[in-house]
Amino acid sequence: MITIKSASQIEKMRAAGALLHDVLQTLRAAVQPGVTTLELDRLAEKRIREAGAIPSFKGFEGFPFSICASVDDQVVHGFATKDRLREGQILSIDCGVILNGWQSDSALTVPVGHISPEAEKLIRDTEKCFWLGADQARAGNRLGDISHAVQAYAEAQGYGVIRDLCGHGIGEEMHEDPSIPNFGRPGRGVRLQPGMTLAIEPMICMGDWHVYLYDNDWTVATRDQSLCSHYEHTVLVTDGEPEVLSCPGANVREMAR
Protein backbone atom coordinates (compact mmCIF):
# COMPACT_ATOMS: atom_id res chain seq x y z
CA MET A 1 0.00 0.00 0.00
CA ILE A 2 1.32 3.44 -0.92
CA THR A 3 1.22 5.89 1.97
CA ILE A 4 0.61 9.63 1.59
CA LYS A 5 2.53 11.61 4.19
CA SER A 6 1.07 14.50 6.16
CA ALA A 7 2.79 17.86 6.56
CA SER A 8 4.10 16.92 10.01
CA GLN A 9 5.41 13.57 8.77
CA ILE A 10 7.12 15.24 5.83
CA GLU A 11 8.82 17.66 8.20
CA LYS A 12 10.26 14.72 10.12
CA MET A 13 11.46 13.13 6.87
CA ARG A 14 12.98 16.46 5.89
CA ALA A 15 15.00 16.48 9.13
CA ALA A 16 16.12 12.89 8.57
CA GLY A 17 17.15 13.75 5.02
CA ALA A 18 19.17 16.79 6.12
CA LEU A 19 21.05 14.65 8.64
CA LEU A 20 21.76 11.94 6.06
CA HIS A 21 23.01 14.54 3.59
CA ASP A 22 25.50 15.81 6.18
CA VAL A 23 26.66 12.26 6.97
CA LEU A 24 27.24 11.41 3.31
CA GLN A 25 29.14 14.64 2.70
CA THR A 26 31.39 13.77 5.65
CA LEU A 27 32.01 10.33 4.15
CA ARG A 28 32.64 11.80 0.69
CA ALA A 29 35.37 14.04 2.15
CA ALA A 30 36.94 11.08 3.97
CA VAL A 31 37.34 8.88 0.89
CA GLN A 32 40.96 8.71 -0.27
CA PRO A 33 43.56 6.07 -1.09
CA GLY A 34 44.55 4.14 2.02
CA VAL A 35 41.26 4.52 3.88
CA THR A 36 39.31 1.35 4.65
CA THR A 37 35.58 1.04 4.14
CA LEU A 38 35.35 -0.28 7.70
CA GLU A 39 36.71 3.07 8.90
CA LEU A 40 34.06 4.83 6.80
CA ASP A 41 31.38 2.59 8.29
CA ARG A 42 32.42 3.45 11.82
CA LEU A 43 32.53 7.15 10.98
CA ALA A 44 28.99 6.98 9.58
CA GLU A 45 27.61 5.19 12.64
CA LYS A 46 29.33 7.63 14.99
CA ARG A 47 27.89 10.69 13.22
CA ILE A 48 24.40 9.19 13.00
CA ARG A 49 24.20 8.16 16.65
CA GLU A 50 25.69 11.45 17.86
CA ALA A 51 22.75 13.17 16.14
CA GLY A 52 20.28 11.01 18.08
CA ALA A 53 19.40 8.90 15.06
CA ILE A 54 19.71 5.22 14.17
CA PRO A 55 21.66 3.76 11.21
CA SER A 56 18.74 2.05 9.48
CA PHE A 57 20.86 -0.46 7.54
CA LYS A 58 22.63 -1.95 10.56
CA GLY A 59 20.79 -5.10 11.53
CA PHE A 60 18.18 -4.74 8.79
CA GLU A 61 17.37 -8.35 7.85
CA GLY A 62 20.76 -9.22 9.30
CA PHE A 63 22.90 -6.70 7.37
CA PRO A 64 25.96 -6.13 9.57
CA PHE A 65 27.00 -2.56 8.69
CA SER A 66 25.77 1.05 8.80
CA ILE A 67 26.71 1.67 5.16
CA CYS A 68 26.81 -0.37 2.00
CA ALA A 69 30.33 0.09 0.63
CA SER A 70 30.42 -1.17 -2.97
CA VAL A 71 33.74 -0.97 -4.83
CA ASP A 72 34.20 -0.90 -8.62
CA ASP A 73 32.01 -3.66 -10.13
CA GLN A 74 29.96 -4.11 -6.94
CA VAL A 75 26.51 -2.67 -7.58
CA VAL A 76 25.03 -2.55 -4.07
CA HIS A 77 25.25 -4.04 -0.56
CA GLY A 78 29.03 -4.24 -0.44
CA PHE A 79 30.42 -5.20 2.97
CA ALA A 80 32.76 -2.82 4.79
CA THR A 81 36.22 -4.39 5.13
CA LYS A 82 39.74 -3.72 6.38
CA ASP A 83 41.01 -3.59 2.78
CA ARG A 84 42.50 -0.21 1.95
CA LEU A 85 40.99 1.70 -0.96
CA ARG A 86 43.35 2.12 -3.91
CA GLU A 87 43.96 5.02 -6.25
CA GLY A 88 41.73 4.78 -9.31
CA GLN A 89 38.89 2.81 -7.72
CA ILE A 90 35.32 4.06 -7.38
CA LEU A 91 33.27 3.58 -4.22
CA SER A 92 29.49 3.61 -3.98
CA ILE A 93 28.27 4.49 -0.48
CA ASP A 94 24.63 3.81 0.37
CA CYS A 95 23.36 4.88 3.79
CA GLY A 96 20.10 5.28 5.66
CA VAL A 97 18.99 6.90 8.90
CA ILE A 98 15.97 6.77 11.17
CA LEU A 99 15.32 10.03 13.02
CA ASN A 100 12.29 10.33 15.29
CA GLY A 101 10.80 7.24 13.66
CA TRP A 102 11.14 8.40 10.04
CA GLN A 103 13.57 7.21 7.40
CA SER A 104 15.80 8.70 4.75
CA ASP A 105 17.88 6.77 2.20
CA SER A 106 20.60 8.11 -0.09
CA ALA A 107 23.65 6.93 -2.04
CA LEU A 108 26.52 8.42 -4.03
CA THR A 109 29.57 7.18 -5.89
CA VAL A 110 32.94 8.71 -5.07
CA PRO A 111 36.29 8.57 -6.89
CA VAL A 112 39.24 7.24 -4.90
CA GLY A 113 41.96 9.72 -5.82
CA HIS A 114 42.42 10.16 -9.57
CA ILE A 115 40.23 7.95 -11.71
CA SER A 116 39.91 7.38 -15.45
CA PRO A 117 37.91 9.84 -17.58
CA GLU A 118 35.52 7.00 -18.39
CA ALA A 119 34.85 6.34 -14.71
CA GLU A 120 34.38 10.06 -14.07
CA LYS A 121 31.82 10.21 -16.86
CA LEU A 122 29.99 7.16 -15.50
CA ILE A 123 29.61 8.85 -12.11
CA ARG A 124 28.40 12.12 -13.67
CA ASP A 125 25.97 10.37 -15.98
CA THR A 126 24.52 8.25 -13.17
CA GLU A 127 23.84 11.41 -11.19
CA LYS A 128 22.25 12.94 -14.29
CA CYS A 129 20.01 9.88 -14.57
CA PHE A 130 18.80 10.51 -11.05
CA TRP A 131 17.99 14.17 -11.65
CA LEU A 132 16.16 13.38 -14.87
CA GLY A 133 14.14 10.74 -13.06
CA ALA A 134 13.45 13.01 -10.08
CA ASP A 135 12.24 15.74 -12.44
CA GLN A 136 9.46 13.35 -13.48
CA ALA A 137 8.35 12.84 -9.85
CA ARG A 138 5.49 15.29 -10.27
CA ALA A 139 1.87 15.00 -9.28
CA GLY A 140 -0.13 13.65 -12.23
CA ASN A 141 2.79 11.84 -13.83
CA ARG A 142 3.10 8.07 -13.79
CA LEU A 143 5.73 5.95 -12.11
CA GLY A 144 6.91 4.78 -15.52
CA ASP A 145 7.83 8.35 -16.41
CA ILE A 146 10.57 8.24 -13.75
CA SER A 147 11.79 4.82 -14.89
CA HIS A 148 11.83 5.78 -18.56
CA ALA A 149 13.76 9.01 -17.95
CA VAL A 150 16.54 7.08 -16.20
CA GLN A 151 16.72 4.36 -18.83
CA ALA A 152 16.57 6.65 -21.85
CA TYR A 153 19.49 8.80 -20.75
CA ALA A 154 21.66 5.91 -19.54
CA GLU A 155 21.22 3.83 -22.67
CA ALA A 156 21.80 6.85 -24.90
CA GLN A 157 25.26 7.07 -23.31
CA GLY A 158 25.90 3.39 -24.04
CA TYR A 159 25.48 2.13 -20.47
CA GLY A 160 23.68 -0.85 -19.02
CA VAL A 161 20.80 -0.19 -16.60
CA ILE A 162 20.69 -2.68 -13.71
CA ARG A 163 17.30 -4.41 -13.85
CA ASP A 164 17.39 -6.79 -10.91
CA LEU A 165 17.26 -3.99 -8.32
CA CYS A 166 15.09 -0.93 -8.01
CA GLY A 167 14.09 2.10 -5.97
CA HIS A 168 11.17 2.12 -3.56
CA GLY A 169 8.76 4.08 -1.47
CA ILE A 170 10.02 5.15 1.94
CA GLY A 171 8.60 6.55 5.18
CA GLU A 172 8.35 4.89 8.57
CA GLU A 173 9.73 1.79 6.83
CA MET A 174 12.85 1.70 4.68
CA HIS A 175 11.13 -0.17 1.87
CA GLU A 176 7.53 0.76 1.14
CA ASP A 177 5.38 0.59 -1.97
CA PRO A 178 5.81 1.32 -4.80
CA SER A 179 8.83 -0.35 -6.38
CA ILE A 180 10.60 2.03 -8.79
CA PRO A 181 12.50 0.28 -11.62
CA ASN A 182 15.18 2.16 -13.52
CA PHE A 183 13.71 1.07 -16.83
CA GLY A 184 10.20 1.16 -18.24
CA ARG A 185 7.69 2.79 -20.51
CA PRO A 186 6.40 6.33 -19.97
CA GLY A 187 2.75 6.81 -19.09
CA ARG A 188 2.53 3.45 -17.29
CA GLY A 189 2.18 2.54 -13.64
CA VAL A 190 0.88 4.29 -10.56
CA ARG A 191 -0.19 7.91 -10.90
CA LEU A 192 1.92 10.13 -8.62
CA GLN A 193 0.24 12.15 -5.89
CA PRO A 194 1.43 14.92 -3.55
CA GLY A 195 2.74 13.45 -0.30
CA MET A 196 4.33 10.37 -1.86
CA THR A 197 7.95 9.86 -0.79
CA LEU A 198 10.17 7.89 -3.14
CA ALA A 199 13.75 6.63 -3.00
CA ILE A 200 14.87 6.95 -6.62
CA GLU A 201 18.20 5.17 -7.22
CA PRO A 202 19.76 4.63 -10.64
CA MET A 203 22.37 1.86 -10.74
CA ILE A 204 24.25 2.23 -14.02
CA CYS A 205 27.12 0.11 -15.35
CA MET A 206 29.66 0.48 -18.12
CA GLY A 207 28.91 -2.95 -19.55
CA ASP A 208 26.10 -5.47 -19.53
CA TRP A 209 23.34 -5.11 -16.91
CA HIS A 210 23.34 -8.73 -15.72
CA VAL A 211 24.47 -9.27 -12.12
CA TYR A 212 25.31 -12.03 -9.66
CA LEU A 213 25.10 -12.43 -5.88
CA TYR A 214 28.13 -13.03 -3.65
CA ASP A 215 28.24 -15.98 -1.29
CA ASN A 216 27.51 -13.58 1.58
CA ASP A 217 23.93 -13.37 0.21
CA TRP A 218 24.07 -9.58 0.13
CA THR A 219 26.64 -8.10 -2.25
CA VAL A 220 25.55 -7.77 -5.88
CA ALA A 221 28.12 -7.25 -8.66
CA THR A 222 28.11 -7.00 -12.43
CA ARG A 223 28.57 -10.37 -14.08
CA ASP A 224 31.04 -8.99 -16.64
CA GLN A 225 33.00 -7.10 -13.91
CA SER A 226 32.23 -3.73 -15.48
CA LEU A 227 32.26 -0.64 -13.25
CA CYS A 228 28.95 0.35 -11.71
CA SER A 229 27.81 3.66 -10.22
CA HIS A 230 24.91 4.27 -7.83
CA TYR A 231 23.15 7.53 -6.96
CA GLU A 232 20.06 7.88 -4.77
CA HIS A 233 17.97 10.42 -2.90
CA THR A 234 14.68 10.48 -1.05
CA VAL A 235 12.23 12.56 -3.09
CA LEU A 236 8.89 14.13 -2.11
CA VAL A 237 6.13 14.52 -4.69
CA THR A 238 4.44 17.90 -4.19
CA ASP A 239 1.84 20.05 -5.95
CA GLY A 240 4.75 21.77 -7.70
CA GLU A 241 8.48 21.07 -7.96
CA PRO A 242 9.72 17.76 -6.54
CA GLU A 243 11.63 18.21 -3.29
CA VAL A 244 14.77 16.17 -2.67
CA LEU A 245 14.57 15.57 1.06
CA SER A 246 18.10 14.14 1.32
CA CYS A 247 19.67 17.03 -0.63
CA PRO A 248 18.31 20.21 0.97
CA GLY A 249 17.95 23.18 -1.34
CA ALA A 250 18.54 21.28 -4.58
CA ASN A 251 16.70 22.63 -7.63
CA VAL A 252 15.56 19.52 -9.48
CA ARG A 253 14.65 21.25 -12.73
CA GLU A 254 18.01 23.01 -12.84
CA MET A 255 19.98 19.85 -12.07
CA ALA A 256 18.10 17.91 -14.76
CA ARG A 257 19.13 20.34 -17.51
Side-chain angles (χ1 to χ4, degrees):
M1 181 179 71
I2 297 173
T3 59
I4 303 298
K5 279 69 175 184
S6 68
S8 62
Q9 292 169 339
I10 290 166
E11 191 56 40
K12 290 178 180 179
M13 291 189 69
R14 193 175 281 126
L19 169 61
L20 182 54
H21 179 264
D22 288 347
V23 170
L24 280 174
Q25 293 312 306
T26 298
L27 296 179
R28 180 198 289 272
V31 173
Q32 59 182 330
V35 168
T36 73
T37 51
L38 194 57
E39 289 170 337
L40 297 174
D41 182 76
R42 290 169 178 163
L43 175 60
E45 182 171 5
K46 181 174 184 289
R47 291 295 301 270
I48 292 167
R49 294 197 187 278
E50 284 177 346
I54 298 168
S56 56
F57 291 6
K58 191 164 189 177
F60 178 76
E61 296 184 354
F63 190 77
F65 302 103
S66 296
I67 64 171
C68 299
S70 306
V71 179
D72 289 340
D73 62 326
Q74 295 175 344
V75 179
V76 289
H77 307 159
F79 278 18
T81 73
K82 295 180 180 179
D83 295 338
R84 298 191 180 281
L85 293 171
R86 302 190 307 275
E87 184 93 18
Q89 292 183 310
I90 65 173
L91 173 66
S92 295
I93 305 172
D94 193 357
C95 189
V97 304
I98 306 171
L99 181 64
N100 297 320
W102 290 85
Q103 305 247 2
S104 193
D105 190 2
S106 183
L108 74 173
T109 300
V110 186
V112 181
H114 296 288
I115 61 174
S116 71
E118 294 80 11
E120 287 181 352
K121 184 176 187 301
L122 173 66
I123 293 172
R124 288 196 309 270
D125 286 342
T126 303
E127 294 184 10
K128 181 78 166 183
C129 284
F130 166 81
W131 293 107
L132 289 167
D135 192 41
Q136 294 298 315
R138 298 172 180 273
N141 280 1
R142 299 275 188 177
L143 200 63
D145 297 326
I146 298 173
S147 304
H148 178 73
V150 172
Q151 179 184 14
Y153 186 79
E155 291 184 349
Q157 312 308 309
Y159 299 125
V161 177
I162 303 300
R163 295 181 176 232
D164 297 71
L165 302 147
C166 61
H168 49 90
I170 185 171
E172 289 184 286
E173 301 296 329
M174 187 193 310
H175 295 143
E176 298 184 351
D177 291 333
S179 295
I180 309 168
N182 291 307
F183 65 98
R185 297 174 63 181
R188 300 293 183 91
V190 172
R191 190 174 296 280
L192 303 178
Q193 301 177 50
M196 287 183 177
T197 44
L198 311 172
I200 300 170
E201 50 178 320
M203 290 157 272
I204 309 299
C205 61
M206 292 184 70
D208 183 78
W209 60 266
H210 289 90
V211 297
Y212 73 99
L213 183 67
Y214 277 26
D215 289 341
N216 63 26
D217 289 331
W218 278 102
T219 306
V220 177
T222 54
R223 196 176 296 172
D224 63 4
Q225 299 185 310
S226 61
L227 291 182
C228 190
S229 178
H230 182 198
Y231 194 74
E232 174 186 18
H233 281 300
T234 299
V235 179
L236 169 68
V237 180
T238 75
D239 285 318
E241 293 294 309
E243 180 182 351
V244 184
L245 299 176
S246 52
C247 190
N251 185 313
V252 174
R253 178 57 58 87
E254 188 66 30
M255 296 296 288
R257 288 180 180 170

